[in-house]
Amino acid sequence: MNFIPSTEAEKKLLLKEIGIGSVNGLFKDIPQSVLVKELEISKPLTEMQVKDKLTSMSMKNNVCFKSFLGAGSYNHFIPSVVNHIVSRSEFYTAYTPYQPEISQGILQAIFEYQSMICSLTGQDVTNASMYDGASAMAEACIMASSISRKKEIVILKSVHPDYLKVVKTYCDAYSLDVKEVDEVEFSSETAAVVVQSPDFFGRIHDCSKVKEKVGDVLLVWGVVEPTSLFILKEPSLADIVVGEGHSFGNAMNFGGPYLGIMATKDRYKRLLPGRIVGQTVDTDGKTGYILTLQAREQHIRREKACSNICSNEALCALAATVYLSYLGKSGENLGDVCLQKAHYLYSKLLSKGFSPVFDAPFYNEFVVKVDNAKVVLDKLKQKGFILGVLLEKYYPEMKDCVLVCATEMNSKEDIDAMVGSL
Amino acid sequence: MKLIFEKSVAGRKAIEFDTEVPLVNGILDEGMRRTKLGLPEVSEIDVIRHYTALSRRNFCVDNGFYPLGSCTMKYNPKINEDMSRLSGFNMLHPLNLDNQGALQLMHELSSDLCEITGLSAFTLQPAAGAHGELTGLMIIRKYFSGKNRTKIVTPDSSHGTNPASATMCGFTTVTIKSNSHGLVDLEELKANLDPSVAAVMLTIPNTLGLFEKDILEISKIVHDNGSLLYMDGANMNALLGIARPGDMGVDVMHINLHKTFATPHGCGGPGAGPVGVKEFLKDYLPNPGIDLDGGVYGFIDHPKSIGKVRAFYGNFGVMVKAYTYIKSIGGSGLREVTENAVLNANYMKEMLKKDFDLAHDTVCKHEFVLSDTGMPNGVTTNDIAKRLLDYGYHPPTIYFPLIVHGAIMIEPNETESKDTMDEFISVMKKIKQEAVSDPDLVKSAPNTTVVKKLDAVKAAREPVLKFVL
């Protein structure tokens, strides 16, 4: 199926109006030497065939494990209402709301999203979304350099390794120096200090203590598991908060689409990349919503823009908005369930001879050590469990260390069964 | 309409979670806990009614004709949505190693994109077109590392993301004037090429909907200068199965899966902006790449990689939709897409050019650009766009490209029928008549929408960017 409505007779009518005999006449401006004869792409399939093909491909992925994987992608419950709303084609088949009069639906939803994200992060202003948490963190480094006019980014090694790579890639292109450190430090050249909390190992950092230490140096605060914000103190003292928002109502999707969160202080709003929705009035004085502060953006400022970002992750932001509305104050309940289950799992593993690696408080993710970790994980997998991520892959010195996560999706029964099979 | 926060009632809730495990108190010190969670308190029906009501205040492709130039607002087949929601795909954790189906899909999608574009290798990591540009330019930057090639040349008709992406890569942008036919001026191009130029960035067909007929000569001039040719593939819907960028001399390009390959725009995203390169640039692609070795798919690292442009592997859910689309329509369907997209655009151009000034009266590709220069009584492009809202249409792209006065950029797409186009054409003609007989009616539009013209100046001068609890 090619989804083209025109019949042969209709195409002839169109050609007649144009005044040419064949559709080939429309491509005469293309050099003959580059015209394609036939693409080597498979033949068209019927809807039934394509459905069979994709279904069997999807079944080559095993998603039936009882999994305790986290490390930047979290298995959370998605209430039915979320997909019912984002599956409305009024939302998913619309373009960017450049015509506000016929886009009030998404504009108001994004305004609500901005309000929720500001509240969760303790910041004044947020944009309408970035590509993902990692690229948001990288853009925050560039933004911090624009604010401070300095070129050094100090980043803790406990930041998610993928995020670290993305920050380095962006900073390399933008000619910023990235300094990876074990403990917070800075100099007169430092544009920003970047901290993730809970960090890649699950440890919670105290934003106010870090800000006290860095003083006037800009503090970029990364939140990769945003459900932690339901119970942990908001990082209101940070200058820019970035994060991964997929945990808010978006599926794991093998790593994307995800939702980049980016929020900052009011005084930096004109340097914030991405789209921002503002409230205003129409000619009758009626409240309405519109994309605003566009003088920051590429379609107005071209090479002088804050960023090149254009398309974002609006539908993921909508899913997050519906999710956060639905959870409301029950968000605290969810956060506590994750906290309690992770600690229950942690104590069970310790009772089975796993040893603790860090001493810091954690939310729903932690590191434990066990002899022959790879063998232990392989055996668990044969029994239908994925315990976590072997950290040696990222940090050679962390042999036999495993990063483990629990969410509300891991039932007590599954935790007990997994621990029981050790 | 009230905000969801204004519908909040203390004590109302929609969901609860069961702790199940024995409660342990005092895990977190009190000072670590938040004291207030600023989210609304509503019930399930409140949420459904609220967001359903909002959805009804949104225009979309499923609602009607959306001739938004350069955005390729084609119909988004429903099967694509269902396939992306198969649990084997959307429940797959990115670090789950039992991922052969996902890797196979990504590998085959990359191969198909190589065949469609005539390039050697693709990365699927970039999340959007502009992200693809950035990735492509990072590759070019790294390729020329230490060679002091610091400039990007792009025509004045280019998308704003092109120079913005160049800036993020530390390049300076040189903008060259288009010639009187709306195409690259070869002399102007030559005059601006020197050993400091890393790449020339072209959109093909360009934003006027015109094919660069001198592309082979342009490519030669660029390469003779030691520079690379980057193609912004936003308008790839005009070339499927007709001509391949790689064969034209393009070294690096990005594709917008959410335009050409029928994945929906989702009110502005998620999209996907895969980047393709010629063989000599393959080693610079972001990590990880995907390899097929002995019947098993796996991740590989490219030796000279720029690094990573996002966590994990890209907008996989979008890839599933694009792959489903390519498999549905097949190689022959791809060509039919372009033939019909170009046929439709030329038909509309012919039907509208008597009433509206055409920027360039020549055969166009998938889109064409009108101007408001001939409009009577001071009626502007913005007035026409707003009047179209009253008639139930999404307006074309307006005031872009910048080189056409009051540009009206129309892209009908292959998925629209003659009937749909004829209705739109008759409305455009009617608006032209109204501009003559009742200009105030046109200038005061829209009058049928849920809000009228919004005060953009107030929004920017006195920014209200969130609900204050």
Side-chain angles (χ1 to χ4, degrees):
Chain A
M1 272 310 298
N2 62 11
F3 310 102
I4 295 168
S6 298
T7 63
E8 288 305 317
E10 284 173 320
K11 284 186 219 169
K12 279 194 184 131
L13 284 174
L14 301 185
L15 285 168
K16 198 178 155 203
E17 289 292 347
I18 299 167
I20 57 168
S22 122
V23 76
N24 292 333
L26 299 172
F27 298 99
K28 285 197 169 140
D29 45 1
I30 300 180
Q32 286 288 318
S33 64
V34 300
L35 289 179
V36 172
K37 285 199 183 72
E38 198 184 342
L39 289 178
E40 286 183 24
I41 303 267
S42 50
K43 290 196 168 62
L45 299 178
T46 65
E47 183 167 335
M48 279 170 64
Q49 288 166 334
V50 86
K51 190 173 179 181
D52 283 348
K53 183 179 173 66
L54 270 289
T55 304
S56 74
M57 278 175 98
S58 77
M59 288 164 70
K60 290 185 197 168
N61 302 318
N62 189 343
V63 294
C64 298
F65 292 107
K66 305 289 183 191
S67 164
F68 299 88
L69 286 170
S73 177
Y74 300 93
N75 185 21
H76 285 291
F77 180 68
I78 301 175
S80 295
V81 296
V82 175
N83 284 333
H84 278 269
I85 294 298
V86 298
S87 297
R88 291 188 68 88
S89 58
E90 292 88 340
F91 286 128
Y92 80 79
T93 75
Y95 193 70
T96 306
Y98 287 132
Q99 292 290 340
E101 298 90 342
I102 53 168
S103 311
Q104 284 299 297
I106 190 63
L107 285 162
Q108 181 173 329
I110 295 293
F111 185 81
E112 292 173 356
Y113 164 83
Q114 292 174 181
S115 308
M116 291 172 190
I117 296 299
C118 284
S119 170
L120 285 168
T121 58
Q123 297 290 310
D124 304 321
V125 190
T126 169
N127 65 22
S129 70
M130 306 295 284
Y131 306 133
D132 75 340
S135 61
M137 185 178 276
E139 293 252 14
C141 294
I142 293 175
M143 179 179 160
S145 170
S146 303
I147 295 169
S148 64
R149 298 180 186 278
K150 291 176 184 171
K151 294 253 168 201
E152 183 192 76
I153 303 297
V154 172
I155 185 163
L156 286 191
K157 284 180 189 164
S158 56
V159 165
H160 190 296
D162 269 4
Y163 286 50
L164 207 57
K165 282 183 192 160
V166 176
V167 165
K168 283 200 273 193
T169 305
Y170 271 67
C171 288
D172 182 44
Y174 200 71
S175 298
L176 301 183
D177 303 318
V178 179
K179 191 171 177 185
E180 294 171 56
V181 297
D182 290 311
E183 296 290 333
V184 170
E185 60 167 75
F186 56 92
S187 72
S188 58
E189 301 305 310
T190 307
V193 170
V194 185
V195 177
Q196 178 186 323
S197 178
D199 67 20
F200 186 61
F201 309 110
R203 299 173 300 182
I204 299 167
H205 296 256
D206 185 332
C207 183
S208 47
K209 279 191 188 147
V210 178
K211 185 60 190 173
E212 198 178 320
K213 189 165 181 189
V214 303
D216 289 338
V217 176
L218 295 170
L219 177 58
V220 174
W221 199 257
V223 182
V224 178
E225 167 51 300
T227 64
S228 64
L229 292 171
F230 288 146
I231 57 170
L232 295 181
K233 198 166 182 181
E234 57 273 37
S236 47
L237 290 175
D239 296 284
I240 307 171
V241 176
V242 291
E244 174 49 65
H246 101 84
S247 289
F248 295 155
N250 289 278
M252 291 184 289
N253 275 322
F254 200 48
Y258 281 4
L259 170 64
I261 291 171
M262 193 164 182
T264 190
K265 299 285 179 232
D266 185 70
R267 59 183 175 278
Y268 304 133
K269 64 176 177 283
R270 286 175 205 275
L271 288 169
L272 185 65
R275 296 171 183 143
I276 299 176
V277 174
Q279 196 179 53
T280 185
V281 292
D282 73 358
T283 46
D284 292 342
K286 194 171 165 188
T287 298
Y289 302 88
I290 190 168
L291 292 174
T292 192
L293 304 181
Q294 295 192 68
R296 302 164 297 112
E297 292 187 74
Q298 48 77 27
H299 62 286
I300 310 285
R301 292 290 296 276
R302 298 177 71 84
E303 66 269 20
K304 293 191 184 69
C306 294
S307 165
N308 69 334
I309 191 168
C310 182
S311 281
N312 55 15
E313 308 290 306
L315 202 70
C316 303
L318 175 69
T321 311
V322 176
Y323 176 84
L324 292 170
S325 299
Y326 191 75
L327 255 64
K329 298 271 192 278
S330 298
E332 187 180 355
N333 175 207
L334 175 80
D336 276 325
V337 168
C338 292
L339 178 83
Q340 293 288 346
K341 284 191 168 175
H343 284 77
Y344 176 76
L345 171 59
Y346 181 68
S347 66
K348 287 274 171 184
L349 288 173
L350 294 192
S351 74
K352 282 281 182 178
F354 285 65
S355 38
V357 174
F358 299 109
D359 186 21
F362 64 89
Y363 167 60
N364 69 341
E365 212 167 4
F366 55 85
V367 180
V368 283
K369 197 168 178 177
V370 61
D371 288 345
N372 300 317
K374 191 173 182 314
V375 177
V376 174
L377 261 63
D378 286 347
K379 278 188 183 164
L380 279 174
K381 202 166 173 189
Q382 283 165 15
K383 293 172 186 165
F385 301 102
I386 302 179
L387 178 59
V389 181
L390 282 171
L391 289 176
E392 193 181 355
K393 174 183 151 196
Y394 302 98
Y395 313 93
E397 70 277 15
M398 294 189 84
K399 193 173 176 325
D400 288 334
C401 291
V402 191
L403 180 63
V404 182
C405 171
T407 71
E408 75 283 8
M409 299 293 271
N410 301 109
S411 68
K412 179 175 180 294
E413 195 185 333
D414 290 344
I415 295 173
D416 291 343
M418 189 271 289
V419 174
S421 74
L422 276 166
Chain B
M1 207 178 114
K2 276 186 178 175
L3 293 163
I4 190 79
F5 297 95
E6 295 170 297
K7 295 175 178 173
S8 180
V9 175
R12 215 175 248 180
K13 66 166 82 163
I15 188 168
E16 280 177 345
F17 298 92
D18 184 357
T19 313
E20 297 182 281
V21 298
L23 267 186
V24 178
N25 290 321
I27 292 174
L28 300 175
D29 293 341
E30 272 315 301
M32 294 168 75
R33 286 190 77 102
R34 130 185 333 260
T35 51
K36 187 180 144 202
L37 186 59
L39 295 175
E41 293 178 83
V42 288
S43 65
E44 176 157 336
I45 193 170
D46 295 332
V47 173
I48 286 292
R49 289 246 169 92
H50 181 73
Y51 291 102
T52 301
L54 284 185
S55 78
R56 295 176 66 176
R57 297 157 82 94
N58 234 37
F59 190 89
C60 67
V61 170
D62 286 4
N63 224 347
F65 190 42
Y66 216 126
L68 194 64
S70 256
C71 299
T72 314
M73 298 300 287
K74 61 171 75 176
Y75 174 68
N76 311 124
K78 301 306 158 196
I79 181 73
N80 302 355
E81 298 302 307
D82 291 350
M83 295 304 96
S84 74
R85 285 196 170 85
L86 289 170
S87 62
F89 291 138
N90 83 351
M91 294 291 286
L92 184 62
H93 189 285
L95 300 177
N96 181 339
L97 302 175
D98 280 65
N99 54 16
Q100 287 296 298
L103 296 191
Q104 182 191 351
L105 186 144
M106 292 170 73
H107 193 263
E108 289 185 6
L109 177 59
S110 298
S111 302
D112 283 351
L113 294 179
C114 286
E115 171 64 16
I116 291 165
T117 58
L119 292 168
S120 306
F122 262 84
T123 173
L124 301 173
Q125 206 173 101
H131 204 206
E133 289 174 23
L134 181 65
T135 306
L137 290 175
M138 283 173 172
I139 290 168
I140 291 170
R141 186 180 187 274
K142 185 130 192 189
Y143 174 72
F144 282 129
S145 171
K147 301 273 167 54
N148 211 22
R149 289 196 178 254
T150 56
K151 289 186 203 155
I152 297 292
V153 173
T154 191
D156 51 8
S157 59
S158 67
H159 294 117
T161 49
N162 293 182
S165 299
T167 300
M168 284 189 76
C169 268
F171 289 116
T172 48
T173 302
V174 179
T175 306
I176 57 169
K177 271 191 161 175
S178 302
N179 67 19
S180 60
H181 305 292
L183 301 172
V184 170
D185 187 318
L186 295 182
E187 293 313 311
E188 176 89 1
L189 175 66
K190 283 180 200 161
N192 282 284
L193 286 181
D194 62 45
S196 68
V197 173
V200 174
M201 267 183 119
L202 296 179
T203 304
I204 307 174
N206 69 16
T207 60
L208 294 158
L210 306 177
F211 187 83
E212 294 287 352
K213 62 180 176 51
D214 298 323
I215 186 61
L216 297 178
E217 200 176 343
I218 292 171
S219 162
K220 187 175 184 313
I221 293 168
V222 171
H223 290 127
D224 284 350
N225 189 55
S227 311
L228 300 182
L229 186 57
Y230 183 99
M231 176 171 146
D232 176 334
N235 293 342
M236 194 63 203
N237 215 40
L239 298 176
L240 300 172
I242 300 286
R244 309 194 305 171
D247 300 341
M248 298 173 200
V250 168
D251 301 298
V252 188
M253 77 175 292
H254 77 266
I255 277 179
N256 302 67
L257 295 185
H258 49 291
K259 295 180 180 176
T260 316
F261 296 97
T263 78
H265 286 68
C267 290
V275 170
V277 295
K278 285 266 171 74
E279 186 68 29
F280 71 99
L281 293 170
K282 207 169 131 183
D283 290 346
Y284 296 86
L285 290 172
N287 284 332
I290 294 164
D291 195 25
L292 175 60
D293 188 8
V296 179
Y297 295 93
F299 291 117
I300 48 153
D301 273 351
H302 301 288
K304 297 174 186 164
S305 175
I306 56 164
K308 241 176 136 33
V309 293
R310 57 162 296 152
F312 306 117
Y313 329 113
N315 281 348
F316 178 72
V318 178
M319 298 172 207
V320 175
K321 297 177 197 186
Y323 179 86
T324 306
Y325 177 70
I326 292 172
K327 294 303 148 196
S328 297
I329 72 175
S332 54
L334 288 165
R335 187 183 172 100
E336 287 160 7
V337 161
T338 289
E339 285 180 353
N340 284 279
V342 173
L343 179 60
N344 285 356
N346 278 282
Y347 172 70
M348 291 191 70
K349 174 175 71 70
E350 288 305 311
M351 301 307 283
L352 286 168
K353 75 179 190 186
K354 289 171 213 104
D355 291 271
F356 296 86
D357 286 351
L358 252 180
H360 296 279
D361 190 2
T362 174
V363 170
C364 66
K365 291 280 110 27
H366 65 305
E367 65 190 10
F368 61 98
V369 179
L370 304 173
S371 161
D372 66 358
T373 46
M375 291 303 290
N377 298 318
V379 168
T380 66
T381 287
N382 195 50
D383 299 331
I384 297 168
K386 296 303 179 192
R387 186 64 181 144
L388 278 169
L389 301 181
D390 281 340
Y391 285 105
Y393 287 102
H394 194 289
T397 295
I398 54 173
Y399 298 105
F400 186 82
L402 308 173
I403 56 173
V404 175
H405 187 277
I408 304 173
M409 186 204 258
I410 299 176
E411 179 181 11
N413 293 299
E414 74 281 2
T415 53
E416 300 300 339
S417 66
K418 181 172 183 295
D419 296 341
T420 303
M421 292 190 287
D422 284 343
E423 281 166 30
F424 180 82
I425 290 161
S426 70
V427 165
M428 284 291 284
K429 291 183 177 200
K430 197 168 173 197
I431 293 172
K432 175 75 187 285
Q433 282 165 12
E434 288 172 353
V436 176
S437 60
D438 192 356
D440 287 342
L441 177 68
V442 182
K443 288 178 188 176
S444 67
N447 287 298
T448 60
T449 45
V450 292
V451 290
K452 293 187 179 173
K453 259 182 203 153
L454 289 158
D455 190 342
V457 175
K458 178 183 160 70
R461 288 216 181 126
E462 308 155 34
V464 178
L465 308 177
K466 63 175 179 183
F467 174 74
V468 180
L469 295 159

